[in-house]
Amino acid sequence: MLERRPSHDDLIEHLVRSTALQRGEATRVVFDVLAYFDETAEDFVRRRHRELQSGGLVNAEIFERIAAELRHRAVAPPELSLRQLRRIVYG
């Protein structure tokens, strides 16, 4: 059985009409935004930890920054303690 995904043609067409984007570009933008909002809190924490760590920050700074960033996510997850953030990354 094939999984049915909702059509976003109306949004794509709106972007084509209201911006300089071509249909393919508008489609990519829509799916990039949807993927961003589909990211779980745990995936976000892991991704941001990797990004910040590769930028030279240490864990104390990283977890403080992630905790602050989580409060501003579009769909805010429950507030996580620094210990919970560490557990998401390290198990």
Side-chain angles (χ1 to χ4, degrees), residues 35-41 44 47-48 68-77:
Y36 173 83
F37 286 112
D38 279 345
E39 185 176 44
T40 66
F44 173 79
R47 176 177 61 79
R48 286 299 288 149
E69 290 176 1
L70 278 170
R71 292 184 200 107
H72 301 288
R73 297 285 292 170
V75 179

Side-chain angles (χ1 to χ4, degrees), residues 4 13-14 21 35 40 48 55-56 69 75 77 90:
R4 296 201 55 105
E13 290 302 321
H14 172 74
L21 296 174
T40 66
R48 286 299 288 149
E69 290 176 1
V75 179
Y90 296 112

Side-chain angles (χ1 to χ4, degrees), residues 22-56:
Q22 299 297 314
R23 184 169 177 76
E25 295 168 323
T27 301
R28 280 192 303 277
V29 167
V30 167
F31 285 104
D32 283 348
V33 170
L34 291 173
Y36 173 83
F37 286 112
D38 279 345
E39 185 176 44
T40 66
E42 290 82 5
D43 289 341
F44 173 79
V45 169
R46 288 183 190 102
R47 176 177 61 79
R48 286 299 288 149
H49 183 269
R50 282 190 308 272
E51 292 169 355
L52 296 170
Q53 194 173 47
S54 71

Side-chain angles (χ1 to χ4, degrees), residues 42 45-46 49 63 83-91:
E42 290 82 5
V45 169
R46 288 183 190 102
H49 183 269
F63 292 120
R83 182 172 187 258
Q84 288 171 309
L85 294 172
R86 287 184 188 91
R87 289 189 64 132
I88 289 171
V89 173
Y90 296 112

